[in-house]
């Protein structure tokens, strides 16, 4: 089967933000669309919302009058019975299994046998939805991301009974609709909502442990890690009720796997009604910052008054190798020697995080200050450091002066295993590796999903390749030893790849 032809009728059940957004995507692709909602008021609001969005696009010159008129001419609201001629019906209603099955059972009796039923569910099992219907082979997941007209990703989710031809038709239809589809097996959280949990979970844990405040941690994720938004800003934007509920859902669906354990800090915000932007307060206050609508961002901390006299790069620095070139370019005196992969700055030893705390590194290896991973050390605006508890103020000053000397502002964290970016990226890669090993998705689809669904600066598996699989595995193992928790268990696939020096992608093929 190929993509559905543009003249094919598409039915949408649910006229809320997701349903009306998906309807707009289908209209833009040339399809006639019937939008249905059991609540008459909701249906009219959905139709009005679509008309308003097209009017705004026309006013801004993003579409022409002909496209505006043609799309609206193909749109109508209708009853469930008026979906009978649809080749594809996408439901986007309340996230309750019993409600979905009840509505889709009625619908199935009206549709022709070869019609496809797609669910936009973000948390329920496609297998379970399909099992409640007479033709489970015709049921597939088609998970769009909000706002559907803007965000490119569509997770095409196969249930146990989904016919391969049906799944492929939906995949090719999503392509024809100018989306970025990825294949995924039905599993809690699918790809994005499962693999993204560490982005929130590790930030929440670092905050709970006092590594830094929310604004500082967000700054490191943005300015060092290259993420578009920090974890706390993003949770505030999503809404803590929604973000917490997704975490709880994945945690429960995976039998309370500690890797997905929700945070008491976030639960407290939900209990207080501090849901983020929509309530005026979350980790940040938006009611008193209405002039910008943004979270307060901390100022740079760049030391002055110390001149670097000597830089010795001992051994290979791996993903931090660019620091040597930057030091040369900024006129610092650099000497390269063989050794353990550390920097000696005027006798002070610095090392890239390997998942251990700085205090442990000092006790075992004499490392006085640990620095964080950067997406790109050349482009990074800030670098995060953590001094060992045994380190004196002078050693920290030297470390700060080195990074200031290569043009970076410096964020000083309280000592914490793995720091911020290294720990977050390692855990994201660990999740991605498990998804690959468990045949939830391919490595390419994992990275494609995270790039297009949540706008990560690099796919987590390609990022793991760039860091070095062995180093990522070492970080996870050290986190596990530091905490003594199953939350930080190493993916068996990463462990094998580290032993055999394998990568997820061949050179030039990574996402």
């Amino acid at each position: 089967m190929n993509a559905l032809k543009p003249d094919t009728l598409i039915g949408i059940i649910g006229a809320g933000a997701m349903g009306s957004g998906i309807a707009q995507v289908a209209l833009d692709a040339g399809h006639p669309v019937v939008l249905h909602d059991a609540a008459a008021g909701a249906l009219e609001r959905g139709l009005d919302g679509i008309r308003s969005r097209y009017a705004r696009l026309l006013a801004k010159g993003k579409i022409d009058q002909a496209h505006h008129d043609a799309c609206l001419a193909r749109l109508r609201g209708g009853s469930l019975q008026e979906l009978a001629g649809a080749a594809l019906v996408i439901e986007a209603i309340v996230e309750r299994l019993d409600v979905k099955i009840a509505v889709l059972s009625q619908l199935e009796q009206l549709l022709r046998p070869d019609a496809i039923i797609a669910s936009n569910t973000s948390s329920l099992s496609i297998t379970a939805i399909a099992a409640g219907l007479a033709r489970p082979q015709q049921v597939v997941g088609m998970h769009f991301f909000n706002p559907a007209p803007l965000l490119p990703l569509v997770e095409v989710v196969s249930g146990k009974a989904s016919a391969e031809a049906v799944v492929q038709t939906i995949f090719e239809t999503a392509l024809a609709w100018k989306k970025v589809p990825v294949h995924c097996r039905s599993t809690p959280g699918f790809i994005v909502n499962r693999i993204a949990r560490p982005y929130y979970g590790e930030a929440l844990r670092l905050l709970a442990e006092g590594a830094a405040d929310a604004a500082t941690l967000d700054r490191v994720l943005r300015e060092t890690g290259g993420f578009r938004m920090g974890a706390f800003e993003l949770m505030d934007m999503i809404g803590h009720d929604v973000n917490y509920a997704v975490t709880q859902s994945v945690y429960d669906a995976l039998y309370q796997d500690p890797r997905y354990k929700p945070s008491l800090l976030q639960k407290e915000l939900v209990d207080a009604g501090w849901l983020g932007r929509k309530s005026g307060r979350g980790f940040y206050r938006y009611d008193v910052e209405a002039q910008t609508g943004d979270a307060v961002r901390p100022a740079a901390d760049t030391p002055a008054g110390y001149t670097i006299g000597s830089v010795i790069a001992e051994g290979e620095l791996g993903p931090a190798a660019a620091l040597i070139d930057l030091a040369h370019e900024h006129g610092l005196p650099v000497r390269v020697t063989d050794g353990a992969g550390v920097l000696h700055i005027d006798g002070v030893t610095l090392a890239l995080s390997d998942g251990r705390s700085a205090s442990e590194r000092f006790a075992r290896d004499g490392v006085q200050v640990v620095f964080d991973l950067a997406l790109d050390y050349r482009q990074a605006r800030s670098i995060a450091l953590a001094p060992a508890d045994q380190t004196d103020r002078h050693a920290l000053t030297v470390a700060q002066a080195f990074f200031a000397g290569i043009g970076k502002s410096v964020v000083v964290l309280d000592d914490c295993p793995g720091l911020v970016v290294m720990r977050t990226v390692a855990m994201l890669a660990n999740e991605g590796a498990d998804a690959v090993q468990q045949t939830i998705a391919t490595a390419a689809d994992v990275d494609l999903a995270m790039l297009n669904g949540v706008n990560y600066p690099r796919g987590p598996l390609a990022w793991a390749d760039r860091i070095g699989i062995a180093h990522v595995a070492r970080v996870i193992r050290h986190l596990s030893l530091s905490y003594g928790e199953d939350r930080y268990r190493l993916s068996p696939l990463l462990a094998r790849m580290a032993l055999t020096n394998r990568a997820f992608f061949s050179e030039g093929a990574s996402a």
Side-chain angles (χ1 to χ4, degrees), residues 182-184 191 432 435-436 439-448 461 505:
V182 293
H183 284 294
C184 176
I191 301 174
V436 173
T439 67
I440 293 166
T442 65
D445 278 354
V446 164
D447 274 12
L448 201 58
L461 300 182
F505 302 99

Side-chain angles (χ1 to χ4, degrees), residues 317-337:
L317 298 184
L323 293 176
I324 304 307
D325 291 336
L326 284 168
H328 279 298
E329 291 164 15
H330 284 80
L332 298 181
V334 180
R335 183 160 58 93
V336 178
T337 69

Side-chain angles (χ1 to χ4, degrees), residues 6 17 31 34 261 285 302 322 344 410 441 466 487 510:
H31 292 275
V34 176
K261 187 176 181 179
R285 293 194 64 170
T302 303
H344 300 291
V410 178
R466 185 74 63 91
R487 174 189 181 105
S510 57

Side-chain angles (χ1 to χ4, degrees), residues 169-422:
T169 292
I170 293 302
F171 187 91
E172 292 178 19
T173 298
L175 276 175
W177 290 4
K178 299 181 179 178
K179 292 298 180 181
V180 178
V182 293
H183 284 294
C184 176
R185 186 165 55 80
S186 185
T187 188
F190 307 142
I191 301 174
V192 171
N193 279 330
R194 181 166 175 171
I195 292 175
R197 292 350 290 164
Y199 190 66
Y200 314 110
E202 294 309 306
L204 286 161
R205 183 146 200 176
L206 286 165
L207 180 65
E209 293 173 357
D213 60 23
T216 300
L217 293 169
D218 275 352
R219 178 184 165 201
V220 174
L221 287 166
R222 286 193 318 271
E223 296 185 4
T224 311
F227 291 93
R228 185 169 297 183
M229 296 182 74
F232 301 101
E233 295 170 302
L234 185 53
M235 286 184 279
D236 272 6
M237 187 182 77
I238 293 168
H240 292 287
D241 51 343
V242 174
N243 189 263
Y244 179 80
V246 172
T247 301
Q248 185 71 57
S249 172
V250 173
Y251 178 64
D252 289 339
L254 291 169
Y255 303 105
Q256 290 78 49
D257 186 331
R259 189 179 281 172
Y260 312 100
K261 187 176 181 179
S263 165
L264 288 173
L265 285 183
Q266 191 172 38
K267 182 179 186 299
E268 191 174 35
L269 289 182
V270 174
D271 291 345
W274 294 8
L275 305 181
R277 287 180 178 270
K278 62 186 174 186
S279 69
R281 188 167 187 176
F283 284 109
Y284 300 97
R285 293 194 64 170
Y286 303 92
D287 49 356
V288 296
E289 297 156 11
Q291 66 273 23
T292 63
D294 291 326
V296 171
R297 297 185 173 187
D301 173 17
T302 303
Y306 184 91
T307 302
I308 298 296
S310 169
V311 177
I312 300 173
E314 182 188 323
E316 296 292 332
L317 298 184
L323 293 176
I324 304 307
D325 291 336
L326 284 168
H328 279 298
E329 291 164 15
H330 284 80
L332 298 181
V334 180
R335 183 160 58 93
V336 178
T337 69
D338 294 333
V342 297
L343 288 169
H344 300 291
I345 315 294
D346 290 350
V348 175
T349 304
L350 284 65
L352 175 67
S353 173
D354 68 356
R356 291 179 287 177
S357 68
S359 299
E360 183 180 352
R361 296 290 298 272
F362 186 96
R364 294 181 181 275
D365 308 322
V367 172
Q368 292 153 283
V369 178
V370 171
F371 60 89
D372 208 350
L373 175 71
L375 173 69
D376 181 335
Y377 283 99
R378 286 187 173 277
Q379 300 299 321
R381 293 164 54 194
S382 299
I383 300 293
L385 313 177
D389 290 343
Q390 306 93 316
T391 297
D392 59 24
R393 178 65 204 180
H394 170 73
L396 178 58
T397 298
V398 171
Q400 290 175 290
F402 169 73
F403 284 103
I406 59 172
K408 311 301 176 184
S409 61
V410 178
V411 176
V412 179
L413 306 172
D414 191 42
D415 191 14
C416 52
L419 299 185
V420 182
V421 180
M422 179 66 84

Side-chain angles (χ1 to χ4, degrees), residues 12-20 22 35-39 42 80 83 89-107 117-124 129 142:
I12 309 290
I13 303 178
M18 284 305 307
S20 62
I22 295 167
L35 184 63
H36 168 73
D37 198 298
L80 201 65
L83 304 179
V89 178
I90 305 169
E91 70 81 11
I93 60 176
V94 64
E95 288 286 86
R96 280 183 48 188
L97 183 62
D98 58 339
V99 174
K100 289 185 188 291
I101 289 175
V103 172
L104 295 178
S105 293
Q106 287 181 268
L107 171 71
I117 294 174
S119 174
N120 184 61
T121 182
S122 61
S123 62
L124 299 177
I129 293 171
M142 197 176 189

Side-chain angles (χ1 to χ4, degrees), residues 417-472:
L419 299 185
V420 182
V421 180
M422 179 66 84
R423 168 178 181 152
T424 299
V425 172
M427 289 296 283
L428 290 169
N430 205 44
E431 279 297 317
D434 266 0
V436 173
Q437 184 171 34
Q438 294 165 19
T439 67
I440 293 166
T442 65
D445 278 354
V446 164
D447 274 12
L448 201 58
M450 304 315 288
L451 288 167
N452 290 278
V454 279
N455 291 312
Y456 283 178
R458 182 174 291 147
L461 300 182
W463 209 337
D465 283 351
R466 185 74 63 91
I467 297 165
I469 299 297
H471 192 87
V472 172

